Amino acid sequence: MDPHVLIFPLPLQSPIKSMLKLAELLCLAGDIAVTFLNTDQLHRRLLSCTNIHSHFSKYPQFRFETISDGLAEDNPRTADRFMELIDGMEAVTKPLFREMMVNGGCLSSSSEKPVTCIITDGPMSFVFAVTEEVGIPLIYFDTISPSALWTYFCFPKLIDACEIPITGHDLDAPVKNVPGMEGFLRRRDLPSFCRAEHLKDSDIQFYLNAILFFPRSQGLVLNTFEELDGSVISGLRSFCPNLYPIGPIHAHLKNKLASQVTPPPTASSSLWKEDWNCIEWLDVQSPKSVIYVSIGSQAVMTKDQLLEFWHGLVNSGHRFLWVIRSNSIAGENSWEGRIPNELLEATKMRGCLVTWAPQEEVLAHPSVGGFLTHNGWNSTLESVVEGVPMLCWPCFLDQQVTSRFVSEVWKLGIDMKDTCDRAVIETMIRNLMGVRRDEFVESAKQMAKLARESVSEGGSSSTNLNSLIEYIRLVRL
Ligand code: UDX
């Protein structure tokens, strides 16, 4: 049978984007068929916001399939209701997925093109159960920060040593039971759900389950590169020997496409309409003069936090491009009317507001000199590749660990962490964009160079991708 990979991402912006990049990399191998299984609801949004269908039409061996996520059409599918998504998928998606995979289903062994390998996300544990039943190799693709993933593997030790749950008074206590991070990791840097006010047994069990199957799968793909996450990669390899660090995956794909005879434009995989006017605005700004601000696709801020950021940005005196995503202000639909006039006037002078930006192009733009980010993993890698220093305001999940690595290990920026105060924001922006700029520019340039080398021919990520492709070809026999 010809190799046929089913790629099944967690239906959220970041995993979908990374896995579509992986899907295209596998299509470029030439002899691998790829089916991308998206949820009905998100697939409709993807088609309404991008030209993804026409982009992938040039790969005859690629197709989209869709499946229900079990949620009501109007469910916002935001991070704060994440467990509803997981429950919906367990109740509705799992039986539908099983039907596809067994007894003559469209992806089963008796179909025209049987699936020979599945690549999916950790939190969808039902996929493991179905693939084990049908006896197909399963490879996980971890789309969050590998350093945060490593802390998940250390949870049993952290719990035994009473290092989690974390209470307010010991946030600055050093963490002793995450090998390789003893020198710099504090409890406040652990994933936010480890804090007592968030932690429920179900949470810990959920995240332990999310990695429970990794060592029992046939491989683990990581969106990182050896030169960035070397120590963490060796730790993870002790649990999952078949490890494939092939990132930064967006840069990897861009590099592969650039070597095509007629390089096609990379396709957007945004679930919101991108506002390209911001590129025209950037075109008339001075080099490195703009700080780009975005908290990704899931994080939200309160209206009070929005005002603190707004005052901090305006008072910093720097020019700013700010993504204020619809549904990103907690509990507020009509916050626009309640912004002080002096902020609006100053924004007209020095700022540009959009609801969704072409982020990779923004970070690559010569006018952008800094990135105020929540440190979602895709955003972090996109900033690393473009050599843009970061001001980190992590919100949840893996972002706290990542922001600590940015400031303490990679020296690529400043970690604002749990602060949201206009004076601190103003000072940190001035530090990142001016006063302390030279501290980060050199290390950011260096890391960007290592990132690009890793995805070039003979680089570590390029070699690991070839190994993954060889494995996929092998299992078809
Ligand atoms: C989620 C989790 O929040 C994050 O912690 C985890 O690491 C990955 O899954 P998200 O919050 O969406 O991710 O952040 P991120 O990983 O940065 O992904 C956001 C993606 O949206 C990026 O690829 C970014 O390029 C894109 N984006 C963001 C846009 O295209 N336009 C925007 O305006 C903002």
Side-chain angles (χ1 to χ4, degrees), residues 14 17 294 297 323 356-357 359 374 376-379 382 398-399:
S14 185
K17 182 171 176 181
S294 167
S297 73
V323 177
W356 197 251
Q359 179 162 303
H374 69 313
W377 190 238
N378 278 8
S379 294
E382 289 155 9
D398 57 339
Q399 300 156 21

Side-chain angles (χ1 to χ4, degrees), residues 321-340:
L321 166 55
W322 189 0
V323 177
I324 306 185
R325 189 190 78 238
S326 60
N327 85 350
S328 68
I329 310 304
E332 300 270 348
N333 290 325
S334 57
W335 54 269
E336 288 87 337
R338 302 215 292 274
I339 302 300

Side-chain angles (χ1 to χ4, degrees), residues 381-449:
L381 284 178
E382 289 155 9
S383 205
V384 164
V385 166
E386 300 306 336
V388 177
M390 288 173 260
L391 173 51
C392 309
W393 187 65
C395 300
F396 57 80
L397 197 65
D398 57 339
Q399 300 156 21
Q400 276 81 2
V401 175
T402 303
S403 64
R404 189 65 172 164
F405 268 72
V406 167
S407 64
E408 296 306 306
V409 180
W410 304 323
K411 307 293 183 195
L412 299 178
I414 304 171
D415 187 6
M416 193 152 68
K417 197 61 79 185
D418 301 314
T419 312
C420 187
D421 165 85
R422 62 189 68 179
V424 171
I425 293 167
E426 173 189 342
T427 305
M428 290 202 164
I429 291 172
R430 286 196 174 147
N431 285 340
L432 186 83
M433 298 295 283
V435 178
R436 293 177 54 190
R437 177 164 185 69
D438 295 347
E439 271 179 59
F440 314 114
V441 166
E442 207 33 55
S443 46
K445 267 188 201 145
Q446 258 311 312
M447 195 60 86
K449 182 169 173 289

Side-chain angles (χ1 to χ4, degrees), residues 150 153-154 157 179 215 220 231-243:
W150 177 232
F153 279 93
C154 302
K157 278 195 274 181
L220 175 58
S231 61
V232 168
I233 288 170
S234 52
L236 287 169
R237 209 168 246 128
S238 63
F239 283 91
C240 313
N242 302 326
L243 213 57

Side-chain angles (χ1 to χ4, degrees), residues 151-204:
T151 66
Y152 293 8
F153 279 93
C154 302
F155 275 175
K157 278 195 274 181
L158 290 169
I159 292 168
D160 290 348
C162 300
E163 293 203 85
I164 51 177
I166 305 163
T167 55
H169 71 274
D170 58 11
L171 279 174
D172 286 314
V175 172
K176 302 189 183 79
N177 287 280
V178 177
M181 299 189 197
E182 297 85 348
F184 59 88
L185 201 69
R186 306 158 302 177
R187 292 193 186 172
R188 71 170 63 247
D189 304 314
L190 285 171
S192 49
F193 57 79
C194 296
R195 298 190 185 187
E197 66 268 28
H198 300 313
L199 192 62
K200 298 186 288 293
D201 284 347
S202 55
D203 279 354
I204 280 283

